[in-house]
């Protein structure tokens, strides 16, 4: 590539990524040369400022025409901008939790590494959201994955953290290999890694053996991505990782990493496989394989909610809850309704605030506990009515009670499952049934919070960052539940139903 071509690109499209990358470089150098006595939390505030700056920059890019640079490997369209907003908001709130995080074993020696690895993982998901090429997509995925493996094991003197990091690395490596193997089949048949060119090449294929290999590649990619979103039967890493990882990392994985998984799913499913004909040549390959996705979605909802009933550790309970929510989101993917992307965007946004708010409350209320048991929240209403009421609102939203954003999100998924042909009555019924099951374990925690006597009187100390996260999450959860059109009007007014996604 000559200098003239290099300078001709519209590099402003990558401004948010450049901000994060620049701060990562600065943080790594500062952490290397600053004395050990220097308060590394200041590096956390610098990280938070960079995320906010990147978020502001993303908002300034709204309304621009789609931009493709670097031979269409990086694409800035309405889809990328909309999901980068979610990613950056989630990362900003998780960073606030990280700044105020104080485990029993001190992290001061590694706190600087914590912040710039956090930003590196964020950079990976941002690259994934704008990927127009399988190589760029895979690089972003690995940037997220490798950073996440290290972050999970950051509590080096805490044995469960070491165990969860090892399990995460092994399972993640296997899932990555399977995904890459599936991608290699698609590349071998299409002769290109560019998603746009790949769709055009695969749409013209009519040879049965090639279509069979593409179906096999699709299933392998589904296996790899099912691990990333913790869908059954590739979910077993999630409870151990959620329990052992530092709490801000658990929060990051539960919202940002899950959002990243669905970003890849949308990019590959719609961008590539929707254009591929099935073996009969009368339908799309992805539509002919809906039953496989439906089985995964149904099993994920059932197992996630049923196993959550048996959990006494609240982080493990939330892990299985996260698995169940992945099942709800997969219902929207399986139904493949015309408003699938809008439904996923709203639900992931609502889930972001609900979950981060809950983790912020756990961090404040049980910061001294190594194993966060549900009975440790007994009598929380007596010691802190603010935390108790906030937890109740967020749990009611996770359960899908009317008047909350969680209800609106599930209603959209339910309507999407019933608005397509063929109609997915079984998935819609499972969605309702498993939602009712989830009431049991959510309300069990709330019963302990409001109606049980505390095991011991403890004084709860509030950190300003955690209070900001809790207050913001509760407010957004209620506002989007009462006035959901705020989000949908913003989406439709600025992103035109993602019409430029496959252009």
């Amino acid at each position: 590539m000559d200098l003239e071509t290099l300078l001709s690109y519209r590099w402003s499209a990558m401004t948010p990524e450049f901000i994060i990358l620049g701060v990562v470089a600065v943080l790594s150098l500062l952490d290397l040369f600053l004395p050990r006595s220097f308060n590394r939390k200041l590096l956390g505030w610098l990280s938070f400022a960079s995320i906010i700056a990147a978020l502001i920059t993303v908002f300034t890019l709204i309304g621009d025409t789609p931009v493709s640079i670097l031979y269409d490997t990086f694409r800035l369209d309405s889809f990328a901008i909309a999901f980068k907003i979610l990613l950056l908001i989630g990362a900003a709130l998780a960073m606030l939790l990280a700044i105020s995080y104080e485990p029993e074993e001190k992290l001061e020696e590694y706190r600087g590494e914590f912040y710039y690895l956090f930003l590196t993982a964020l950079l990976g998901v941002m690259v994934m959201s704008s990927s127009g090429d399988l190589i760029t997509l895979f690089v972003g995925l690995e940037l997220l994955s490798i950073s996440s493996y290290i972050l999970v094991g950051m509590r080096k003197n805490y044995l469960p953290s070491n165990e969860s990091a090892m399990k995460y690395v092994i399972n993640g490596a296997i899932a990555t290999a399977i995904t890459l193997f599936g991608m290699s089949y698609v590349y071998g048949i299409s002769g290109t890694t560019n998603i746009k060119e790949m769709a055009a090449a695969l749409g013209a294929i009519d040879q049965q053996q090639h279509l069979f290999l593409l179906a096999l590649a699709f299933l392998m990619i589904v296996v790899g991505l099912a691990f990333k979103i913790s869908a059954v039967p590739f979910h077993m890493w999630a409870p151990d990782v959620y329990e052992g990882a530092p709490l801000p990392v658990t929060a990051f994985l539960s919202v940002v990493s899950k959002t990243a998984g669905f970003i890849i799913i949308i990019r590959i499913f719609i961008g590539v496989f929707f254009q591929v004909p099935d073996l009969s040549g009368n339908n799309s390959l992805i539509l002919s394989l809906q039953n496989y996705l439906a089985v995964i979605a149904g099993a994920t909802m059932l197992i996630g909610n049923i196993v959550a009933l048996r959990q006494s550790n609240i982080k493990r309970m939330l892990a299985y809850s996260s698995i169940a929510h992945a099942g709800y989101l997969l219902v929207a993917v399986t139904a493949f309704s015309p408003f699938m992307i809008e439904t996923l965007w709203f639900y992931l946004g609502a889930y972001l605030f609900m979950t981060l708010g809950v983790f912020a409350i756990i961090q404040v209320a049980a910061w001294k506990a190594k194993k966060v048991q549900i009975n440790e929240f007994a009598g929380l209403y007596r010691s802190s009515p603010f935390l108790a009421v906030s937890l109740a609102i967020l749990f009611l939203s996770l359960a899908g009670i009317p008047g909350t954003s969680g209800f609106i999100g599930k209603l959209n998924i339910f309507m999407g499952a019933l608005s397509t042909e063929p109609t997915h009555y079984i998935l819609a019924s499972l969605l309702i049934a498993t939602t009712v099951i989830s009431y049991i374990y959510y309300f069990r925690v709330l019963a302990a919070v409001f109606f049980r006597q505390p095991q011991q009187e403890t004084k709860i100390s509030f950190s300003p960052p955690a209070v900001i996260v809790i207050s913001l999450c509760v407010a957004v959860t209620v506002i989007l539940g009462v006035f959901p059109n705020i989000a949908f009007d913003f989406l439709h007014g600025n992103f035109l139903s993602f019409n430029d996604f496959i252009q």
Side-chain angles (χ1 to χ4, degrees), residues 230-499:
S230 60
V232 171
F234 315 103
H235 65 290
M236 294 308 296
W237 61 273
D240 291 325
V241 171
Y242 274 52
E243 181 181 8
L247 198 139
V249 177
T250 304
F252 179 84
L253 293 176
S254 66
V255 293
V256 178
S257 184
K258 189 178 294 292
T259 302
F262 281 97
I263 286 173
I264 305 179
I265 287 174
I266 297 171
R267 280 284 182 197
I268 294 181
F269 284 13
I270 297 181
V272 177
F273 287 104
F274 187 70
Q275 318 301 321
V276 180
D278 63 3
L279 295 177
S280 67
N282 299 321
N283 206 349
S284 170
L285 175 65
I286 191 172
L287 295 179
S288 67
L289 295 175
Q290 277 181 313
N291 290 338
Y292 296 97
L293 294 176
V295 170
I296 294 175
T300 303
M301 289 188 290
L302 280 170
I303 293 177
N305 281 300
I306 292 174
V307 179
L309 296 173
R310 302 287 297 170
Q311 303 306 310
S312 59
N313 182 292
I314 196 166
K315 289 176 75 175
R316 292 185 71 88
M317 188 200 81
L318 288 173
Y320 283 104
S321 169
S322 175
I323 292 167
H325 283 275
Y328 304 147
L329 289 160
L330 280 175
V331 173
V333 174
T334 303
F336 221 79
S337 68
F339 47 90
M340 179 189 76
I341 299 180
E342 291 95 325
T343 299
L344 291 175
W345 185 86
F346 182 89
Y347 197 95
L348 287 167
Y351 181 74
L352 181 157
F353 287 103
M354 294 185 288
T355 306
L356 283 173
V358 170
F359 279 115
I361 293 170
I362 294 173
Q363 180 167 307
V364 172
W367 65 275
K368 288 184 177 179
K370 282 191 174 182
K371 293 187 176 180
V372 188
Q373 303 298 319
I374 292 174
N375 57 18
E376 292 174 3
F377 291 84
L380 180 63
Y381 181 72
R382 296 174 181 269
S383 55
S384 176
F386 167 70
L387 291 181
V389 172
S390 298
L391 185 64
I393 293 172
L394 296 170
F395 268 3
L396 291 175
S397 186
L398 285 168
I401 299 298
T404 63
S405 59
F407 170 77
I408 301 298
K410 288 183 180 178
L411 180 63
N412 290 333
I413 294 174
F414 180 78
M415 296 303 295
L418 296 180
S419 65
T420 56
E421 186 63 39
T423 307
H424 299 274
Y425 291 112
I426 296 177
L427 277 183
S429 301
L430 280 175
L431 174 62
I432 296 175
T434 52
T435 296
V436 173
I437 293 174
S438 71
Y439 294 169
I440 300 173
Y441 57 85
Y442 288 131
F443 281 90
R444 182 180 59 166
V445 178
L446 295 182
V449 168
F450 286 95
F451 303 116
R452 292 184 189 168
Q453 295 293 329
Q455 293 182 336
Q456 57 183 2
E457 294 293 335
T458 57
K459 184 179 179 181
I460 296 177
S461 58
F462 292 86
S463 64
V467 172
I468 292 171
V469 173
I470 295 169
S471 302
L472 181 61
C473 290
V474 170
V476 173
T477 298
V478 174
I479 291 171
L480 291 184
V482 180
F483 306 105
N485 281 343
I486 294 175
F488 288 114
D489 289 344
F490 169 76
L491 196 64
H492 297 146
N494 293 288
F495 303 114
L496 301 175
S497 299
F498 305 105
N499 291 331

Side-chain angles (χ1 to χ4, degrees), residues 211-225:
L211 293 175
F212 177 78
L213 288 175
L214 286 171
L216 183 62
F218 174 79
L219 294 176
M220 284 192 287
I221 292 174
V222 166
V223 168
L225 297 184

Side-chain angles (χ1 to χ4, degrees), residues 124-144:
V125 295
M126 291 174 69
V127 169
M128 288 161 56
S129 66
S130 285
S131 294
D133 192 280
L134 286 187
I135 294 177
T136 314
L137 194 68
F138 186 75
V139 168
L141 176 62
E142 285 304 283
L143 194 57
L144 166 66

Side-chain angles (χ1 to χ4, degrees), residues 20-51:
I20 300 299
L21 179 61
V23 173
V24 167
V26 171
L27 287 178
S28 59
L29 292 173
L30 288 175
D31 185 52
L32 181 63
F33 292 106
L34 286 172
R36 287 194 174 186
S37 59
F38 183 82
N39 186 359
R40 273 3 188 226
K41 285 188 178 182
L42 296 177
L43 301 183
W45 285 111
L46 178 58
S47 303
F48 176 75
S50 70
I51 297 172

